[in-house]
Structure formats: structure tokens, C-alpha cells
Amino acid sequence: MERIERLAGHLRPSAPLLLDALSSKRVSGDNSMDAIRQCFPSLLSKSGVPAPAYFDGPGGSQTPSVVANAMARVMTSGISNRGGGYPASDKADKIVTEFREAVADLLDAPSPKGVIFGRSWTSLCYDMARNLSRGWKAGDGVMVTNLDHDSNIRPWVQAVERCKGVQLTTVKFDPKTGRLDPEIFRRSLQENAEKKIKTRLVALTGASNILGTRPDIKTIASIAHQYGALVWVDAVHLTPHAVVSMKDLNVDFLGCSSYKWFGPHAGVLAVKPQILEKIPNDRLRPMKDYPHPDRFEFGTLPFEILAGITAAIEFIAAIETLLPSPASSSASASSSSSMMTRRERIVRSMTLVQEHEKQMRLYAEKLLSSIPQVLLHACKAPVRTPTIYFSVKGVPSKQVFSKLARMGVYVGAGHFYAMDAADHLGLGAGGAVRAGIMAYTSRGDIQRLVDGVKAIVDGRG
């Protein structure tokens, strides 16, 4: 742990130092999770009392020390506003540049020049909905899905309501499987075209925040582009669990929330630069000639949060040094990692994370499905994030949530702002229980969850 704490002295954890600090923790076998968990103070036992089993990652992950330390260092090391041309000001400029470069690496965005910081993902959605809708007119159309979090539905619905004559289309998922069929998009776009409706934007999720369903974004984007529509992807629930490549998906907008992947509370949006430069927006008079993306960011940026986001991305890139790799020893892995680009390390890390989380999800689903009173909702989509949405027969979801919390097992209950999806599943406002698996989730956590559910079913909870 001491070597991890040494990173507190760095505004932006350098890749070599971070790799060196974390590689010393690389272990094999059943103890491999200990190496990751040691990086998170909230996951460590205190005075012999086990830490809670956190399954509320979809609402916000736990935070590693290196992120908190990076933020603290910015706030205590002497920093000024940007553009001053002296060291403290240059430091602020550097933090902003490194933030944009890091996010571009994480999302494989076309350019750091298209990376925008936002207070939250919801605020970014509303801001861009207002900006983009300025060009909409009668005969235009917008397409959303009922699988999405409301932050990727309501801003577009309300923008359509403000624009006279603009049509809204909602694509619905299969409630039996949780799947969102690309062919429904094709049919809906074709129907709009036949009605002389020009679809301007298709907004959809990269992964459902309650079911974990991962739509075939690449295929849907290709179809949408054939009809001249822009594609907006909410990757909030996708980014913590998968290798994300905006370039490969060929979408026009893709964003997420950094606090879902070990960072501070904020939102980020990546836009193709050639599209961003054409989007109008209100701004202050001195901002008239600001370059992109600065003119979409109002006021002084929170430099400590930007540094925290960069540190979280560096941590993600270094995760592969903590997990056992069948292809190489820890020594050779550390050596090869130091020669890789940050994007290459992110891909390798997230590939390992994705496999680990898949195994944890399958293990949890096997154990939960063996309990007759447990119903797993719409868990048949072929590609999913490690998110389990379930009900316990005869026990309201809020009670399951409360009883598990008293056992030190933290899940969530409700619709989680995916109201349309919960309604489509027939669950209503009460929703169901959500257990989200993260990179730091262990088999021990899974067992505590299952034991807790069994206790509730048996009347012992």
C-alpha cells in the first residue's frame, strides 16, 4: 500500500510510476482480487470488521487512493487560472490538456479537440439537446429508445416539444430478452423517410443501466448514417465494463460519467470535431472566438476534478498489471506495459476486466437462479454488462434493499431513472433489485449477496 500512496505527490500519475507501484501487487490465483482491492480504501477491513460488499457500482464506483491523491495535490500545490503564462497558470493549462488526451484515449475518440467536460452527463445531454435542436424544423425527426436512462430520453423529448412540427419516434426493446433489435431502427427510419420525415438524430444507450443489455451500436449507427442521422450514444453504463472505441463504432457523440469508473463526479462528452465546430451555442462575449471544445465549457474549469479523471484513466490503464495474465509472467507483463501506449494498456486492462466481470456475473446468476423465489429480469441478451436485475417473490424490492444493507451488502432498488424500461418490463415505479458487478467484485462478495438473499427468503433477514 505504501508504494500506492507515493503517487500522492503527482498531479498526474505518470504511467511508469503507476505501473511500477501496481505491478508489485500483481498476484495469481484466488488472491488476485486482493491486489485490486488494496487500491481502494473503502474496500479494506477496518479493526477486523469486513468492508461492505458493494454492488451499487452502476450508481457510482468506489474510488482508488491515486485518484483522491491526484485531486488533493492539485488543490494544495499552488495553481492559478489558465492563460497566464507563468508556472502556476501553465500547470492549469497542462491539466486541461492531459484531461482531454486521457478521455480521448479511454473512449478512442477521433481527437482530444472533441472532448468536453460537463458537471454531469445529464447536464451535457440537456446542453447539447438545446444546441442541436436550434437547427430542427417541421418535417424533421428524432429517435430515442425505451431502454435508456431518462437522461437520454427526456432532453430529446423536451427539445422536440419546443420545435413545432418535429416528430419523435421511440424504438422499444424486447421485454423477454432485453434485446434492442437493429432491424427495428431500420424499419423506423425507413418509415420516417417514406413519410418525408428527415431523422436528424438517433439517441440510444451503449448499455442499459438496469438490464445490462448492450445494443449493437456499430450496426445501428451504420443504419442511421444511411438515412443521414447523427448518432448520440449514452455510454455511462458501458464504459466501466467494456473496451469502448468511438472510432470503431463510428458514432458522432459518445459520453459517460467518470464517477462510474473510479473517478470524481463529472461527465464527459466526445464529439467528432468536424461536427462540433458546426454546432451553435450561447456563450459570453469574450468567448466568441474560443476554440473547440472550450466554448462549450462555461466558467473556470475545476482543475482538481480534471486531474482526478486523468488519474482514474491512468488507473484503468494499469489494472492489467494487477490481474494474472495467462500469456505472460508478471515481470514480462510489466516490461511490455511500459512500452505500450496508454490506449493499448486500456484495451488490455478492460479486456481482462470484462472477462473477470463476466465470470462473476455468471457465478452470481447461477447461485441466484437456484433460489426458487428469485426472478432474474430480461437477462437473455447475447452481450451484456455484469448487471443483475432481480425480484424476490413476496418481498418488495425496497425491503430486499434495506435488509441486505443491514447485512453489509449494498445493492440498489427501483427503476434507476430507466422509468420507461421498468414500465415496459411490467415492474412500474417500484422496479426491482439491481446488483452491479465491478472490477473489484470478488467471489466472496457474490457469496455474501446470495447468502443475504437466502436469509431474506427464509425469513432470517
Side-chain angles (χ1 to χ4, degrees):
M1 195 67 186
E2 291 180 1
R3 301 188 77 188
I4 297 293
E5 291 301 328
R6 281 166 45 197
L7 298 177
H10 294 259
L11 287 174
R12 171 183 180 271
S14 66
L17 179 58
L18 188 57
L19 286 168
D20 177 59
L22 297 183
S23 63
S24 67
K25 295 181 173 294
R26 187 188 182 103
V27 292
S28 60
D30 293 338
N31 294 322
S32 62
M33 287 311 302
D34 291 341
I36 288 182
R37 293 173 70 89
Q38 286 175 25
C39 299
F40 295 82
S42 60
L43 301 182
L44 302 179
S45 299
K46 295 177 177 62
S47 302
V49 178
Y54 290 94
F55 289 95
D56 55 355
S61 72
Q62 299 305 296
T63 306
S65 296
V66 290
V67 171
N69 293 337
M71 296 176 67
R73 181 63 177 172
V74 169
M75 299 182 75
T76 58
S77 63
I79 191 168
S80 301
N81 215 327
R82 299 164 64 191
Y86 50 93
S89 179
D90 292 343
K91 185 186 299 181
D93 286 327
K94 186 171 184 285
I95 289 171
V96 175
T97 298
E98 290 176 343
F99 153 75
R100 300 200 201 283
E101 291 174 345
V103 172
D105 281 349
L106 177 68
L107 303 180
D108 198 24
S111 169
K113 294 180 179 179
V115 173
I116 302 171
F117 170 84
R119 184 183 66 80
S120 68
W121 172 243
T122 299
S123 67
L124 285 166
C125 290
Y126 267 113
D127 285 346
M128 279 299 176
R130 285 190 291 267
N131 294 332
L132 290 168
S133 63
R134 292 182 179 204
W136 298 347
K137 59 184 183 299
D140 287 342
V142 174
M143 194 168 291
V144 297
T145 88
N146 70 341
L147 185 64
D148 278 80
H149 186 286
D150 208 52
S151 63
N152 201 32
I153 299 175
R154 216 54 48 194
W156 307 113
V157 171
Q158 292 165 350
V160 166
E161 291 172 347
R162 291 192 297 268
C163 300
K164 186 176 180 180
V166 175
Q167 304 297 312
L168 179 74
T169 303
T170 301
V171 175
K172 298 183 178 181
F173 69 94
D174 183 344
K176 294 181 180 179
T177 65
R179 186 169 180 264
L180 198 58
D181 189 349
E183 287 306 310
I184 299 179
F185 286 88
R186 189 188 304 277
R187 290 197 298 269
S188 298
L189 287 160
Q190 180 59 33
E191 288 172 4
N192 278 357
E194 291 172 357
K195 296 175 183 177
K196 307 301 182 184
I197 297 172
K198 178 177 174 55
T199 304
R200 300 293 296 272
L201 181 86
V202 173
L204 74 160
T205 184
S208 165
N209 70 312
I210 59 173
L211 300 178
T213 301
R214 289 175 54 182
D216 185 351
I217 297 295
K218 188 172 183 177
T219 297
I220 294 169
S222 176
I223 293 170
H225 286 152
Q226 291 172 21
Y227 288 86
L230 296 174
V231 179
W232 174 286
V233 175
D234 172 353
V236 170
H237 193 63
L238 176 66
T239 307
H241 307 295
V243 176
V244 177
S245 173
M246 187 176 172
K247 293 176 184 175
D248 181 62
L249 296 175
N250 192 25
V251 298
D252 306 293
F253 305 84
L254 187 144
C256 54
S257 301
S258 52
Y259 68 98
K260 303 298 178 78
W261 32 265
F262 318 130
H265 286 77
V268 296
L269 173 65
V271 188
K272 289 180 178 178
Q274 67 271 28
I275 292 175
L276 187 62
E277 66 184 15
K278 297 177 182 178
I279 299 175
N281 75 312
D282 291 327
R283 52 193 183 275
L284 302 179
R285 186 178 176 187
M287 297 174 66
K288 179 182 178 182
D289 298 320
Y290 273 27
H292 308 292
D294 297 72
R295 68 181 177 89
F296 291 91
E297 298 164 335
F298 300 105
T300 300
L301 290 171
F303 305 121
E304 70 281 3
I305 291 180
L306 301 188
I309 292 173
T310 300
I313 294 170
E314 290 285 4
F315 177 79
I316 290 171
I319 283 178
E320 53 92 17
T321 67
L322 300 173
L323 293 173
S325 172
S328 59
S329 67
S330 63
S332 62
S334 179
S335 175
S336 62
S337 292
S338 65
M339 297 182 287
M340 297 169 68
T341 66
R342 178 167 54 196
R343 174 60 189 175
E344 290 171 335
R345 290 185 288 115
I346 288 170
V347 170
R348 190 153 82 172
S349 288
M350 289 310 299
T351 299
L352 290 170
V353 165
Q354 187 167 306
E355 180 58 27
H356 163 73
E357 292 179 341
K358 178 182 178 181
Q359 295 306 317
M360 291 298 99
R361 173 179 65 80
L362 292 173
Y363 179 54
E365 287 179 340
K366 178 182 178 180
L367 295 182
L368 287 171
S369 62
S370 70
I371 305 172
Q373 295 86 349
V374 170
L375 172 63
L376 304 181
H377 296 291
C379 59
K380 298 179 181 178
V383 184
R384 299 169 52 210
T385 62
T387 311
I388 304 171
Y389 202 47
F390 68 95
S391 299
V392 177
K393 185 178 180 180
V395 187
S397 296
K398 289 294 184 183
Q399 287 188 26
V400 176
F401 156 78
S402 298
K403 291 180 177 183
L404 285 173
R406 289 197 291 269
M407 301 176 199
V409 178
Y410 296 166
V411 296
H415 54 64
F416 305 98
Y417 285 77
M419 299 174 69
D420 292 4
D423 286 343
H424 197 53
L425 291 168
L427 297 171
V433 179
R434 180 178 68 179
I437 292 167
M438 297 292 295
Y440 48 68
T441 303
S442 68
R443 292 177 74 89
D445 290 332
I446 301 293
Q447 194 61 56
R448 289 173 68 182
L449 169 65
V450 174
D451 289 346
V453 172
K454 287 181 177 179
I456 293 170
V457 168
D458 294 341
R460 296 181 285 110

